[in-house]
Amino acid sequence: MSATGETKRPAPGKGQVLAVLGLLAAVAVLSSHHEGLPFWLGALTGVLAVLGYLVCFDSPRGIWQWLPAVVGFCAAFLFAGQFLISLLT
């Protein structure tokens, strides 16, 4: 703990890594399946991963936490795009 009361977390935590991997998995599933059970499982995985992303990346500290935060941010937009494309087609 530092003098300001903040603890340094140089490496991403397990929840941060799982949130990013969940988003990437959801994008992969939705890019290949546009209907049926795989679509809904991918959509559920994506929604849970987005919620996990919002919880885990509330204040990234250091470059090693900002890198997965940026990847997750981009994956969240890809997930939203894939989900909307699947719903509207």
Side-chain angles (χ1 to χ4, degrees), residues 50-69:
V50 166
L51 293 174
Y53 177 83
L54 293 174
V55 169
C56 291
F57 287 104
D58 59 345
S59 59
R61 295 179 185 97
I63 188 69
W64 296 114
Q65 287 189 357
W66 275 103
L67 287 174

Side-chain angles (χ1 to χ4, degrees), residues 4-84:
T4 61
E6 292 185 17
T7 54
K8 288 188 176 185
R9 294 183 296 181
K14 184 170 56 169
Q16 292 173 331
V17 172
L18 287 175
V20 172
L21 289 177
L23 281 167
L24 294 175
V27 169
V29 168
L30 292 182
S31 68
S32 59
H33 300 289
H34 295 286
E35 59 186 31
L37 184 62
F39 167 76
W40 290 109
L41 290 176
L44 180 64
T45 301
V47 168
L48 292 176
V50 166
L51 293 174
Y53 177 83
L54 293 174
V55 169
C56 291
F57 287 104
D58 59 345
S59 59
R61 295 179 185 97
I63 188 69
W64 296 114
Q65 287 189 357
W66 275 103
L67 287 174
V70 169
V71 170
F73 187 74
C74 294
F77 275 102
L78 285 173
F79 166 71
Q82 288 290 334
F83 185 72
L84 289 174

